Amino acid sequence: MPSHLSRRSLKRGITAATAVATLATGLAACGGDSDAATTTDAAGTVTVGQVSNGAATETGLKVSEVKSISAELPASVRKSGKLEIAIGALPDGFPPLAYVGSDQKTLTGAEPDFGRLVASVLGLKPEVKNFTWENMFVGIDSGKADVGFSNITDTEERKKKYDFASYRKDNLGFEVLKKSTWNFDGRYENLAGRTVAVDNGTNQEKILLEWQAKLKKEDKTLTVKNFASKNATYLALTGGRIDAYFGANPGLAYHEKQSATSPSPTRSAGTFSGAGASLQGLIAATTKKDSGFAKPIADAVNYLIRNGQYAKWLAAYNLSNEAVDKAEVNPPGLPLDNS
């Protein structure tokens, strides 16, 4: 189950027109190599956001091998010269993280692009493979892939089989009309008197209903709405029937970018950890346990953070509010009783 129930809601956060027109065509066969966007040119530039269909601002990032980090890799990988990257985006994809681009064949998005950046630091050629969510883990288990970059939440349950190198916050978010003055500010009390839409059966619905119960005990109200489709949710937002939509943050960031030139642009009104108030959820590169990949990948991520490419990658996909200060190997994950 991806990203602590957030991947389902993330997929539901895709605008219907883009989902139908862009994602359903041309996905690579399960477990097969996907067409990859241009990785590193002769000048050592990795271009992120290519053929992104408006989900990203195309950005060239100068990246080259850091030999002190690539030396940490297992000898067999250094000899092969390639990093096999697993993405769990079949059958439909989930923008802006991983989906088929506007050329109808290239697997693009924030996750494969970040895998390509990490591979460049490691001095390896990225080979991006697209799987179903379940088969992505099978691919890592069997050695068909070295690492998964696919919105995978760090959990203590998964640590039984995998090592993690964290690189992004696992956040939920509030989306409001750009003209709205309301902000969440990390305080459920700010929801008092508001009407908020949420997708039925999701992690964020569970959290929102818990806040509703707390406010009720304080003699305050929070009205929670469910709609049958994403289009209906956004019609309610633009029509003023709801104050905000609470969903998986990457999907909201995608819609915010898509709506920027519309008559009713939206913005983020704040985020909340997908793991709840007591723990910041983390998205992590996922490798087979004791494979020797986690530390060099974490070191590569930290190199990208220190040298600015990381921030530019996030900004290209409107995901700056999911930045981490540093990558860690096997940081505290979602507890066993909540995995």
Side-chain angles (χ1 to χ4, degrees), residues 208-218:
L208 196 62
L209 292 176
E210 289 172 353
W211 287 334
Q212 183 186 52
K214 285 185 177 181
L215 288 169
K216 186 176 181 180
K217 289 180 180 179
E218 299 169 12

Side-chain angles (χ1 to χ4, degrees), residues 19 50 76 130 154 161 168 212 288:
Q50 289 186 304
S76 60
N130 201 9
D154 168 19
K161 291 183 64 177
R168 188 163 55 79
Q212 183 186 52
K288 193 173 182 178

Side-chain angles (χ1 to χ4, degrees), residues 2 10 19 58 78 87 94 123 127 168 200 234 246 249 278 301:
L10 178 58
E58 190 170 316
R78 295 200 307 272
I87 304 290
F94 41 103
E127 291 193 358
R168 188 163 55 79
N200 190 35
Y234 284 120
F246 187 41
N249 185 67
S278 61
V301 175

Side-chain angles (χ1 to χ4, degrees), residues 63-118:
V63 187
S64 56
E65 179 182 0
V66 180
K67 293 190 180 296
S68 61
I69 299 176
S70 61
E72 301 172 3
L73 289 163
S76 60
V77 178
R78 295 200 307 272
K79 184 177 180 180
S80 75
K82 61 185 180 181
L83 183 68
E84 295 181 315
I85 299 167
I87 304 290
L90 287 174
D92 296 329
F94 41 103
L97 299 183
Y99 59 102
V100 169
S102 54
D103 64 355
Q104 301 298 310
K105 64 178 182 179
T106 301
L107 184 65
T108 190
E111 301 288 63
D113 275 354
F114 194 61
R116 292 165 184 142
L117 287 168
V118 168

Side-chain angles (χ1 to χ4, degrees), residues 28-299:
C30 178
D33 293 346
S34 74
D35 290 303
T38 300
T39 54
T40 308
D41 64 17
T45 299
V46 177
T47 302
V48 303
Q50 289 186 304
V51 297
S52 69
N53 199 37
T57 301
E58 190 170 316
T59 307
L61 301 176
K62 185 84 171 178
V63 187
S64 56
E65 179 182 0
V66 180
K67 293 190 180 296
S68 61
I69 299 176
S70 61
E72 301 172 3
L73 289 163
S76 60
V77 178
R78 295 200 307 272
K79 184 177 180 180
S80 75
K82 61 185 180 181
L83 183 68
E84 295 181 315
I85 299 167
I87 304 290
L90 287 174
D92 296 329
F94 41 103
L97 299 183
Y99 59 102
V100 169
S102 54
D103 64 355
Q104 301 298 310
K105 64 178 182 179
T106 301
L107 184 65
T108 190
E111 301 288 63
D113 275 354
F114 194 61
R116 292 165 184 142
L117 287 168
V118 168
S120 292
V121 176
L122 297 175
L124 301 174
K125 178 184 177 182
E127 291 193 358
V128 181
K129 299 182 177 183
N130 201 9
F131 298 84
T132 62
W133 177 259
E134 294 80 8
N135 281 336
M136 173 180 64
F137 290 100
V138 174
I140 296 169
D141 295 343
S142 66
K144 289 182 179 178
D146 300 316
V147 57
F149 283 95
S150 198
N151 203 45
I152 304 169
T153 297
D154 168 19
T155 76
E156 295 305 312
E157 178 65 32
R158 287 175 178 155
K159 282 200 183 94
K160 295 175 181 178
K161 291 183 64 177
Y162 305 102
D163 287 324
F164 292 110
S166 57
Y167 63 92
R168 188 163 55 79
K169 291 178 181 177
D170 181 12
N171 277 345
L172 305 172
F174 289 91
E175 185 177 8
V176 299
L177 292 178
K178 192 172 183 178
K179 65 183 180 182
S180 170
T181 59
W182 180 83
N183 288 292
F184 175 59
D185 289 332
R187 301 180 68 249
Y188 78 88
E189 292 90 347
N190 287 344
L191 291 163
R194 302 290 170 174
T195 299
V196 179
V198 69
D199 294 326
N200 190 35
T202 59
N203 181 41
Q204 51 266 31
E205 183 188 46
K206 174 178 174 287
I207 292 171
L208 196 62
L209 292 176
E210 289 172 353
W211 287 334
Q212 183 186 52
K214 285 185 177 181
L215 288 169
K216 186 176 181 180
K217 289 180 180 179
E218 299 169 12
D219 293 323
K220 299 173 183 176
T221 61
L222 164 61
T223 303
V224 176
K225 296 281 190 181
N226 302 113
F227 293 92
S229 71
K230 199 58 55 193
N231 281 346
T233 299
Y234 284 120
L235 282 172
L237 184 62
T238 57
R241 290 184 288 127
I242 59 174
D243 297 302
Y245 168 48
F246 187 41
N249 185 67
L252 304 189
Y254 174 68
H255 181 261
E256 179 186 336
K257 200 168 184 72
Q258 295 292 304
S259 74
T261 57
S262 75
S264 301
T266 63
R267 66 171 179 84
S268 170
T271 61
F272 186 75
S273 169
S278 61
L279 178 70
Q280 175 58 62
L282 293 170
I283 300 299
T286 303
T287 68
K288 193 173 182 178
K289 198 168 187 66
D290 299 323
S291 64
F293 278 106
K295 185 179 186 301
I297 289 173
D299 288 344

